[in-house]
Amino acid sequence: RHKFWETQPVGQFKDLGDTSLPEGSIELPTPLSEVKQEPYNLPNLYEWITCDMGSAEMCTEVYNLLTNNYVEDDENMFRFNYSKEFLHWALRPPGYYRSWHIGVRVKNSKKLVAFITGVPAKIRVRDTVVTMAEINFLCVHKKLRSKRLAPVMIKEVTRRVHLENIWHAAYTAGVVLPTPISTCQYWHRSLNPKKLIDVGFSRLGARMTMNRTIKLYKLPDSTVTPGFRKMEPHDVPAVTRLLRNYLKQFVVAPDFDENDVEHWLLPKENVVDSYLVESPETHEITDFCSFYTLPSSILGNQNYSTLKAAYSYYNVSTKTSLLQLMNDALIVAKLKDFDVFNALDVMQNGTFLKELKFGPGDGKLHYYLYNYRLKHVLRASELALTSI
Ligand code: MYA
Ligand code: JJ1
């Protein structure tokens, strides 16, 4: 059934429920000298390139490939439209490897037709911190689909990860592959219900008028929590401590240090927004929330071309209730003109989604580990990975 995935060191469907298999690595590292030194063969018309995402021209080529060929919803109404600034941020975290940003070009025309990336990350699984590659942005041009190019791309990124002496990976997909460590549900909170309905992102509820719908989703003009403010560079140590302590409770979570927090969580305009609560009395940092900006192209609408979406990222509550904190996040997202606020049911998100008027979407996100077996499928609430 899965001619490629059956050959890979991943949990297989036939082994689901077999708790006699141990947790941890499926295969052992091989000596680096035994890692294949040459790239995998591509069909003759194509060639590998390593993409320099620091170059504006390269960034534009990748942007154009993804804008026209990346992930769509099941009815092909919307397509993710990652910005160049976002790609630059997502692909150059601390310790990134240029060799893990892989493109495929047509030899003659030099046109970029496929892409896959990895970035390094330390991920804790129960008590073990494992250095992994986070694989993302796998994309094959629409005209080259179903030609088994994806398995070659995946083998090539695997080879380049192995060359750095890294033997595990984490990735997410909207499709079911062998085999998810967890399956999460997307939830959506309307901020601009009229536009969402006009473009077919959502529908007018039963016995609802447009005016009643607009009123239902109305939010205050300013945040309510005293001491709620934007995160600043000097907050990095306090946010790192707060977040590290919070993430201990989850089965799978990133192991962030201050450099990671600086990169992934310091606000970057039109890419990532982070807010925290500084106690007006003690000046302690007690709570934190963040979201990233990922618009989608609206395919074939006369009036609108982009849907401005915020995606919940990492949130930590110790003093302010998570409900109030996330309500403040919705308020700032609305002030920043987002049309919708999206969240997965990961971490403690399940505790506020319904009350804050999020509704379940038609999409699911499956989480995977490469070369790491778990005995049981995890609940979404046991997971603290947010794939960007
Ligand atoms: S998820 C986002 C994926 N991108 C999109 O959905 C964009 C739109 N779609 C496309 O561009 C193409 O449809 C893609 C497949 C490129 C997805 N992850 O070439 P094919 C398997 C993994 O004929 P195409 C993200 O970026 C499929 O089951 N495998 O198919 C994370 C089949 O194998 P098998 C996938 O449609 C990526 C084979 O590919 C996916 O032309 C993580 C068919 O190949 C998918 N999303 O191209 C990658 N979709 O026969 C894995 C299909 O066995 C990383 N397939 O069923 C693994 C870790 C590697 C590093 C390890 C380090 C140690
Ligand atoms: O955005 C998604 N679905 C929307 C739009 C559906 C359009 C028709 N298919 C949706 N809208 C309903 C919102 C409504 C608002 C009021 C309350 C009730 C709900 O459901 C979905 C997620 O739900 N998104 C996708 O399908 C995009 C792909 C998701 C998989 C991503 C995999 C990428 C992995 C890379 O690492």
Side-chain angles (χ1 to χ4, degrees), residues 70-71 73-75 136 172 174 186 188 201-202 359-363 365:
Y70 200 47
V71 176
D73 68 296
D74 62 353
E75 291 166 286
N136 205 348
T172 59
Y186 278 101
H188 307 281
F201 186 90
S202 66
D362 61 5
L365 189 65

